[in-house]
Amino acid sequence: MTKFQCSIAISLVLLQCLAVHVASQSFDFFYFVQQWPGSYCDTQQSCCYPTTGKPAADFGIHGLWPNYNDGSYPSNCDSSSPFNPSEVSDLKSSMQNSWPTLACPSGDGEQFWSHEWEKHGTCSESVLDQHAYFESALSLKQKVNLLQALKSAGITPGGSYSLKSIKDAITEAAGYTPWIECNKDSSGNYQIYQIYLCVDTSGSNLIECPVFPKGTCSSEIEFPSF
Ligand code: 5GP
Ligand code: 5GP
């Protein structure tokens, strides 16, 4: 083999490694995370409504996060794949409704979506491209109506409930056990902040969570109004 042929052969092997690396899915499941806007706003940091107006009094998407079974997770996996609004222009109004941003200063959501894509979405690029990633999250939100599930169990904004009754109501409606994350209101009371459901690596099917994060709630928690 000439030196030239040898370097071609080496390049081919390297290319193949790269292809296998890109094609292989390197996470075990997703957390699908939704936030209660009343609990994002009702803290010491407070919030800002999007430039498109006050969001609905409903759970909003926070993100779809690739995770490992041991509880750790990959992040910022591909700096060569920035968020590109033109790839999801057909989903924009659904995203504004279902994935509103509440951070300050007010924005139309692009910064939030961009952060979520770059930190989390790039780590599941082997199965979901940008359009499929946002579309999957939107359709997961349609699968389980969290607010309706809670209301059906008599759990409505403006009250205080046992953590167990909240988990039971969602388990009943979703068919899978959720994980509830709490934060504290401005007086220091624990309140329901985010609800996690687990999803298989295709991004479409709910599953039982392989692992739950560390608890952040007390046994009785607030469900503030928004
Ligand atoms: P916090 O530290 O407030 O719990 O989380 C901050 C951010 O870290 C989250 O919004 C999310 O981006 C990321 N994060 C926290 N816990 C997890 C996790 O268990 N899995 C994944 N994939 N990301 C997480
Ligand atoms: P994560 O916690 O997913 O790493 O990051 C959330 C980032 O998105 C933070 O930098 C936060 O300022 C920004 N962000 C923008 N809008 C929202 C929102 O409505 N909720 C949350 N939790 N973060 C938001």
Side-chain angles (χ1 to χ4, degrees):
M1 212 181 330
T2 67
K3 220 170 168 183
F4 179 66
Q5 283 170 323
C6 179
S7 77
I8 292 213
I10 289 174
S11 306
L12 280 175
V13 167
L14 284 178
L15 257 179
Q16 198 156 23
C17 287
L18 199 67
V20 166
H21 179 78
V22 168
S24 67
Q25 137 244 317
S26 51
F27 62 102
D28 299 322
F29 69 98
F30 288 104
Y31 281 126
F32 176 55
V33 185
Q34 296 180 69
Q35 61 180 0
W36 177 246
S39 306
Y40 185 89
C41 293
D42 182 16
T43 59
Q44 263 162 8
Q45 72 171 22
S46 93
C47 72
C48 293
Y49 296 155
T51 49
T52 44
K54 183 178 176 176
D58 192 5
F59 287 88
I61 300 171
H62 179 162
L64 182 60
W65 303 344
N67 238 76
Y68 298 120
N69 285 338
D70 70 0
S72 68
Y73 58 91
S75 63
N76 299 101
C77 297
D78 185 4
S79 58
S80 73
S81 173
F83 178 68
N84 179 358
S86 68
E87 284 182 43
V88 291
S89 52
D90 60 317
L91 304 176
K92 189 168 184 182
S93 72
S94 301
M95 286 162 68
Q96 283 173 336
N97 288 324
S98 300
W99 202 326
T101 179
L102 290 163
C104 298
S106 291
D108 70 353
E110 271 182 24
Q111 277 206 1
F112 189 23
W113 308 327
S114 165
H115 170 89
E116 292 300 312
W117 167 256
E118 286 165 18
K119 179 170 179 180
H120 300 285
T122 55
C123 301
S124 51
E125 250 179 333
S126 57
V127 283
L128 301 173
D129 64 16
Q130 220 171 110
H131 191 271
Y133 177 79
F134 287 97
E135 200 172 39
S136 299
L138 291 169
S139 67
L140 284 166
K141 179 165 164 45
Q142 301 300 318
K143 282 200 181 183
V144 189
N145 186 331
L146 293 178
L147 190 58
Q148 189 52 52
L150 294 172
K151 281 183 177 163
S152 302
I155 297 167
T156 54
S160 173
Y161 305 92
S162 73
L163 176 61
K164 183 176 186 309
S165 68
I166 291 173
K167 276 191 188 164
D168 287 350
I170 293 167
T171 305
E172 166 89 13
Y176 296 94
T177 318
W179 186 72
I180 313 294
E181 177 183 1
C182 290
N183 66 4
K184 284 182 178 178
D185 69 14
S186 43
S187 333
N189 303 308
Y190 284 104
Q191 56 186 1
I192 179 170
Y193 169 43
Q194 301 199 111
I195 298 183
Y196 293 53
L197 287 166
C198 291
V199 178
D200 70 7
T201 52
S202 74
S204 339
N205 307 302
L206 295 174
I207 55 170
E208 280 298 341
C209 289
V211 59
F212 288 109
K214 216 171 85 212
T216 54
C217 300
S218 46
S219 58
E220 196 78 8
I221 61 180
E222 309 287 329
F223 184 18
S225 49
F226 176 62

